[in-house]
C-alpha cells in the first residue's frame, strides 16, 4: 500500500493543505482562508486533520510564528489572535488520542519549512527569505536546518529598519496593497504585474525601488553572518517576473563585488506556494529516515 502524508501550511492569509505520497508528489492540494483567532483556527485544523486521519501515515505542519523545538508557539505577530503559547504537542496528541491513532508528526516555522524544501544533494549552505504577509528567514548549514538552541534563528520580523519593523516594511502583501492604491487600473494587480507597472508608472517604480533597496539591506546582514552559497526568495515575491529578481541581483551583487570582490547566486524558491507543505513533510520524512 502506498504511504500517504498530510502536510498543512498555516499562513496569515490562507491555510494550504495537501495529501502527498512518500516521494513528495501531491495527490491533492486545497486551501481555505485562515481564521486567525486561535479558537477558530483550532477548529479549522481539527477538521482538516480528521478528514484525512484514517488514510495517512504521518502529519507535518508549517506555521507562521516562532516555533520552539518542543512544538510550542513562543511568539506570534499581530496577524494572529492569542496564538502565543499555543502548544501543538498537546493539541495534536489530543486529536490522535480521540481518534485512536498513532502517527508521527512535526511542526516547523513556515520560513524554516520553505527553506528545507530547497535542500538537495548539491548545496550545503544557503538561506531562504520568505516575503509574504510577513517576513521569515531559514538557514541551512552543512545540509542541516539550523534553528538555534530554542528555534529563534531567522526571526527578524520585529527588528527595526528605518524605524519600522521588517515584518511590515518588507511585507510583500503590504507592497501589493500600496501599489493597488496608486496604480490606476480597473483590475487589482498581483505579483505578475509588478514589473509592468515598474516600467509604466514612476510613483510605483519609486516604491518598488525602495522595497528592493530595503530587501538588499536585510540580505547584507544574513550574507555576512552565514556567507551562503545561494540565497532563495520565497513567498508571494517569488511569483514576480524574473526581471524583478534581476533588479535585486544587480543591486546586491554590485555591493558585494565592491565590498568583498565576489557575487552570490540569488534565485526564486523552486517550490513556490507549496514550499511550506513540501519542506515540513520533507523534514518529517528525513527525521524518520524515510528520505
Amino acid at each position: 500500500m502506498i504511504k500517504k502524508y498530510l502536510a498543512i501550511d498555516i499562513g496569515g492569509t490562507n491555510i494550504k493543505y495537501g495529501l502527498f505520497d512518500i516521494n513528495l508528489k501531491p495527490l491533492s492540494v486545497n486551501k481555505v482562508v485562515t481564521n486567525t483567532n486561535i479558537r477558530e483556527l483550532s477548529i479549522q485544523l481539527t477538521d482538516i486533520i480528521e478528514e484525512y486521519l484514517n488514510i495517512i501515515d504521518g502529519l507535518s505542519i508549517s506555521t507562521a510564528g516562532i516555533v520552539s523545538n518542543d512544538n510550542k508557539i513562543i511568539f506570534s505577530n499581530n496577524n494572529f489572535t492569542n496564538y502565543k503559547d499555543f502548544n501543538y504537542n498537546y493539541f495534536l496528541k489530543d486529536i490522535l488520542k480521540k481518534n485512536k491513532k498513532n502517527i508521527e508528526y512535526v511542526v516547523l516555522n513556515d520560513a524554516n519549512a520553505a527553506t528545507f524544501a530547497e535542500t538537495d544533494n548539491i548545496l550545503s549552505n544557503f538561506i531562504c527569505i520568505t516575503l509574504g504577509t510577513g517576513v521569515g528567514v531559514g538557514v541551512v548549514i552543512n545540509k542541516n536546518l539550523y534553528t538555534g538552541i530554542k528555534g529563534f534563528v531567522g526571526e527578524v520580523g520585529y527588528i527595526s529598519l528605518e524605524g519600522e519593523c521588517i515584518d511590515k516594511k518588507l511585507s510583500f502583501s503590504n507592497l501589493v496593497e500600496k501599489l493597488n492604491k496608486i496604480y490606476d487600473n480597473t483590475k487589482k494587480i498581483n505579483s505578475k504585474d509588478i514589473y509592468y507597472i515598474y516600467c509604466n508608472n514612476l510613483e510605483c517604480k519609486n516604491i518598488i525601488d525602495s522595497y528592493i533597496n530595503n530587501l538588499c539591506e536585510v540580505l547584507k546582514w544574513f550574507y555576512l553572518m552565514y556567507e551562503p552559497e545561494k540565497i532563495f526568495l520565497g513567498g508571494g515575491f517569488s511569483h514576480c517576473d524574473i526581471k524583478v529578481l534581476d533588479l535585486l541581483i544587480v543591486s546586491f551583487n554590485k555591493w558585494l563585488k565592491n565590498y568583498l570582490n565576489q557575487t552570490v547566486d540569488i534565485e526564486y524558491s523552486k517550490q513556490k506556494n507549496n514550499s511550506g507543505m513540501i519542506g515540513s513533510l520533507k523534514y518529517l520524512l528525513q527525521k524518520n529516515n524515510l528520505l
Side-chain angles (χ1 to χ4, degrees):
M1 181 181 292
I2 299 174
K3 289 191 173 184
K4 298 174 184 176
Y5 299 86
L6 176 63
I8 303 174
D9 180 23
I10 306 165
T13 304
N14 294 306
I15 299 174
K16 295 185 284 288
Y17 60 99
L19 194 64
F20 293 79
D21 66 17
I22 199 167
N23 297 311
L24 304 175
K25 179 183 177 182
L27 305 175
S28 66
V29 175
N30 301 281
K31 71 176 180 179
V32 293
V33 175
T34 306
N35 194 317
T36 54
N37 178 286
I38 187 56
R39 289 186 180 180
E40 298 301 322
L41 176 61
S42 298
I43 294 172
Q44 281 186 301
L45 293 176
T46 300
D47 288 344
I48 291 169
I49 293 168
E50 290 187 340
E51 179 183 349
Y52 293 91
L53 198 50
N54 288 327
I55 62 170
I56 59 174
D57 299 280
L59 167 67
S60 69
I61 295 176
S62 68
T63 176
I66 301 177
V67 182
S68 69
N69 292 331
D70 59 353
N71 297 330
K72 183 178 179 181
I73 302 297
I74 302 173
F75 181 81
S76 175
N77 63 25
N78 295 330
N79 291 325
F80 290 84
T81 304
N82 300 322
Y83 200 32
K84 184 177 181 292
D85 296 325
F86 185 73
N87 192 312
Y88 270 98
N89 277 343
Y90 294 160
F91 173 69
L92 294 173
K93 285 179 179 178
D94 184 60
I95 293 175
L96 295 176
K97 182 179 179 181
K98 183 177 71 173
N99 288 275
K100 298 179 180 180
K101 291 285 289 184
N102 182 26
I103 59 172
E104 292 291 326
Y105 64 83
V106 295
V107 182
L108 282 181
N109 160 268
D110 52 4
N112 287 329
T115 301
F116 203 71
E118 303 300 330
T119 55
D120 56 26
N121 295 322
I122 301 171
L123 289 174
S124 295
N125 304 285
F126 64 89
I127 63 174
C128 178
I129 300 182
T130 57
L131 302 160
T133 307
V135 178
V137 180
V139 179
V140 167
I141 299 176
N142 294 329
K143 297 185 181 293
N144 293 308
L145 188 63
Y146 179 65
T147 59
I149 297 171
K150 293 187 177 180
F152 294 168
V153 169
E155 294 297 338
V156 298
Y158 269 72
I159 294 176
S160 179
L161 180 64
E162 296 180 344
E164 187 177 13
C165 71
I166 288 174
D167 243 5
K168 290 184 178 179
K169 200 169 191 69
L170 288 181
S171 165
F172 186 71
S173 299
N174 286 352
L175 173 66
V176 172
E177 184 178 349
K178 190 181 295 184
L179 294 173
N180 268 308
K181 288 178 180 177
I182 295 170
Y183 190 63
D184 184 20
N185 195 358
T186 56
K187 178 177 80 76
K188 279 196 171 185
I189 64 169
N190 56 36
S191 304
K192 299 183 186 304
D193 303 314
I194 298 293
Y195 190 71
Y196 177 82
I197 66 170
Y198 179 85
C199 296
N200 290 278
N201 185 292
L202 181 58
E203 188 175 2
C204 289
K205 178 182 183 299
N206 291 336
I207 290 172
I208 295 166
D209 279 335
S210 177
Y211 183 90
I212 295 293
N213 290 338
N214 288 325
L215 180 53
C216 274
E217 289 303 308
V218 173
L219 288 182
K220 290 174 187 178
W221 304 346
F222 280 92
Y223 186 85
L224 293 176
M225 280 190 286
Y226 297 107
E227 196 180 353
E229 301 165 65
K230 185 172 287 189
I231 298 171
F232 291 100
L233 297 172
F237 184 82
S238 66
H239 292 273
C240 292
D241 190 292
I242 192 67
K243 292 177 183 177
V244 176
L245 181 62
D246 289 340
L247 295 173
L248 176 67
I249 292 172
V250 169
S251 178
F252 184 77
N253 276 329
K254 180 180 178 181
W255 166 82
L256 191 56
K257 185 73 173 176
N258 289 336
Y259 188 50
L260 296 174
N261 196 32
Q262 60 190 55
T263 60
V264 66
D265 289 337
I266 304 175
E267 296 181 5
Y268 286 142
S269 61
K270 300 182 185 72
Q271 300 297 340
K272 304 294 184 184
N273 282 349
N274 288 341
S275 62
M277 292 186 292
I278 294 288
S280 63
L281 179 53
K282 205 171 185 180
Y283 191 78
L284 172 71
L285 296 176
Q286 186 191 70
K287 181 181 176 183
N288 290 281
N289 299 312
L290 295 172
L291 275 183

